[in-house]
Amino acid sequence: MKILVVNAGSSSLKYQLFDMDTNEVLAKGLCERIGIDGIVSHKRPGKEDYKVNADFPDHKAAIECVLKLLTDAELGVIAGVEEISAVGHRFAHGGEKLKKSAVLGDQELEYLESIVGLNPLHGPPAISGFKACKEVMPNVKHVGVFDTSYYSDMEDYAYIYPIPYELYEQYQIRRYGFHGTSHRYVAAKAAEILGNKNAKIITCHLGNGSSITATVNGKAVDTSMGFTPQDGVPMGTRSGAIDPTVVTYIQKATGCTAEEADTILNKKSGLLGVSGVSSDCRDICDEAAKGNYRAQLALKILAHNIKKIIGSYVAEMNGVDALVFTAGIGENDRQIREDVCKDMSWLGVEIDETVNKTCPRGEIVDISAAGAKTKTFVIPTNEEYMIALDTQNLTK
Ligand code: ADP
């Protein structure tokens, strides 16, 4: 069974074609600059990458180009589009109703359109991407996989904010949580390694956007992102959790509008805001190594806040069996892992510094020190595979 996974952004469309019988990625790629001009990069394992300018007035043109590439005599990996059994679509937000991955019909689409206000950045392009794919591939089932759905079983006291309850009832203001597909994947892998389905696991997805999730018995019980992906740990350009009064104070003190305050907290804060160097952790690490105080401070704030959330989740779960690092920073930045895990032996977290330093990229590695009560793993995330798996399960 071959499944195409699509992740549509406002000007981009990522794709991966999976052969679910062999668990192989047959091809993957990225269409960029949709609505501007267009460029597509197409990769097949073991073969030369292909990159070419294209004309992408909209998502439909991009997906048509993807299908052409996938079936091309030279660059393709399948003989015809009919080999694709189903398409899985990534959606950041499934609102309160789409609690599980679902085959997308008219009702689901209508609901997704009704909640774009909750998700103005990712909702509209994901919907356009889905509509374009459906138009080009009308004869297969299309499945939506929602980042928020991993959190749909959280207790009400974990997702209701202590603000007037009517704001939840009227505007659905609550903690939704994001990156759920990534947390679900790495938490399941950790439970599999531990051989314990009921394990208490804390997963740290640290990338440009970062979030931490607590999982017990395969279900998320808490997560650091909230109503939007702005909450939780500091990120590339997002502040993460701060005293909410700072927002109104910035507005009063600087005379900026609500939108401008939002831009400050979403685009000019986090690692970029503190370091003044970059939103990219690699640049900040380089500057910190040269002695740049603000770059060093940004990294310390990041590790401090990750540690704080881990501690709170251990308290919530009454223990932890495994701590997992994933995504760009989590998988690659040894120093952050070391800084986060330092002085947590009381919680049973102890890492082997040599294994942590020499941990090969792209592999699952147990970086725990010998005899550590809590296991610490580096697990490369694979959201696309999770989407393909859900799509297979719902359509086969
Ligand atoms: P996104 O949230 O956009 O998917 P990624 O998961 O790709 O982001 O993570 C991007 C972050 O990972 C950037 O801050 C980048 O600097 C960091 N990163 C990637 N490789 C390394 C590395 N080798 N060392 C430190 N940080 C890295």
Side-chain angles (χ1 to χ4, degrees):
M1 185 175 195
K2 297 194 179 77
I3 301 225
L4 180 65
V5 172
V6 172
N7 183 352
S10 56
S11 66
S12 70
L13 185 145
K14 288 189 202 148
Y15 63 94
Q16 280 197 27
L17 182 68
F18 285 87
D19 184 336
M20 300 308 284
D21 302 322
T22 57
N23 277 344
E24 262 179 302
V25 175
L26 300 175
K28 64 178 175 180
L30 170 66
C31 301
E32 291 175 277
R33 298 178 61 86
I34 297 173
I36 305 166
D37 36 34
I39 184 161
V40 59
S41 16
H42 177 68
K43 298 182 181 192
R44 292 152 304 155
K47 304 229 169 105
E48 210 173 303
D49 294 350
Y50 173 80
K51 193 166 184 173
V52 70
N53 290 330
D55 181 21
F56 296 147
D58 51 27
H59 285 93
K60 187 171 171 225
I63 191 68
E64 278 169 343
C65 168
V66 170
L67 295 182
K68 229 167 147 186
L69 281 170
L70 292 173
T71 54
D72 184 81
E74 259 181 59
L75 301 162
V77 289
I78 49 175
V81 174
E82 56 291 344
E83 279 191 46
I84 300 173
S85 305
V87 185
H89 298 264
R90 184 226 167 194
F91 284 86
H93 218 307
E96 289 212 285
K97 291 201 178 142
L98 291 165
K99 294 181 172 213
K100 283 195 177 119
S101 302
V103 174
L104 297 173
D106 292 345
Q107 262 184 343
E108 288 76 16
L109 177 61
E110 204 176 296
Y111 179 67
L112 284 169
E113 285 180 324
S114 77
I115 58 162
V116 289
L118 292 174
N119 179 31
L121 283 183
H122 296 109
I127 292 171
S128 303
F130 158 66
K131 285 182 171 167
C133 289
K134 180 118 178 123
E135 208 179 321
V136 177
M137 287 176 281
N139 300 323
V140 295
K141 283 193 175 140
H142 293 258
V143 168
V145 178
F146 313 97
D147 276 7
T148 46
S149 57
Y150 190 47
Y151 306 107
S152 59
D153 286 326
M154 289 196 312
E155 297 288 349
D156 47 6
Y157 55 76
Y159 70 76
I160 295 288
Y161 288 124
I163 57 175
Y165 194 78
E166 295 73 23
L167 290 171
Y168 164 61
E169 292 179 311
Q170 207 172 339
Y171 301 107
Q172 296 83 51
I173 296 174
R174 51 161 283 182
R175 181 181 302 283
Y176 287 100
F178 297 89
H179 289 150
T181 313
S182 171
H183 288 286
R184 179 157 62 104
Y185 176 80
V186 294
K189 278 269 170 235
E192 191 183 310
I193 300 166
L194 293 171
N196 177 6
K197 276 197 297 197
N198 308 322
K200 296 170 179 172
I201 299 167
I202 298 175
T203 45
C204 305
H205 176 113
L206 310 174
N208 270 323
S210 298
S211 61
I212 305 185
T213 291
T215 293
V216 183
N217 297 334
K219 289 191 172 166
V221 292
D222 209 346
T223 192
S224 62
M225 281 180 168
F227 178 58
T228 70
Q230 162 73 353
D231 200 1
V233 289
M235 306 173 217
T237 60
R238 296 182 211 139
S239 64
I242 53 167
D243 177 344
T245 317
V246 171
V247 185
T248 43
Y249 191 84
I250 291 174
Q251 285 174 250
K252 284 183 204 143
T254 68
C256 73
T257 62
E259 283 73 24
E260 285 161 347
D262 191 63
T263 302
I264 293 173
L265 295 169
N266 258 303
K267 304 245 161 80
K268 299 182 178 172
S269 294
L271 296 176
L272 172 67
V274 177
S275 71
V277 169
S278 164
S279 62
D280 192 299
C281 210
R282 283 166 291 200
D283 300 338
I284 298 168
C285 292
D286 290 346
E287 275 301 305
K290 289 183 207 155
N292 181 322
Y293 162 74
R294 279 175 51 187
Q296 290 171 349
L297 180 63
L299 295 174
K300 281 187 197 163
I301 293 175
L302 177 62
H304 172 75
N305 279 277
I306 296 169
K307 198 188 256 291
K308 216 156 82 165
I309 293 176
I310 292 172
S312 67
Y313 290 170
V314 175
E316 262 186 64
M317 297 191 291
N318 189 21
V320 57
D321 298 305
L323 180 63
V324 178
F325 289 95
T326 194
I329 298 172
E331 290 169 35
N332 297 302
D333 193 325
R334 316 149 176 169
Q335 194 57 50
I336 283 288
R337 292 196 300 258
E338 191 177 316
D339 293 346
V340 169
C341 296
K342 194 165 164 251
D343 298 331
M344 288 214 289
S345 54
W346 195 79
L347 299 182
V349 175
E350 284 173 282
I351 62 168
D352 182 316
E353 284 181 19
T354 311
V355 177
N356 182 48
K357 280 200 179 82
T358 52
C359 180
R361 280 190 190 177
E363 286 180 24
I364 296 181
V365 184
D366 178 350
I367 58 168
S368 337
K373 197 171 75 182
T374 302
K375 289 281 181 195
T376 304
F377 300 118
V378 176
I379 302 183
T381 192
N382 197 344
E383 290 158 279
E384 291 78 13
Y385 178 69
M386 206 73 234
I387 295 172
L389 204 60
D390 281 4
T391 304
Q392 180 187 32
N393 289 337
L394 283 164
T395 56
K396 72 179 172 190

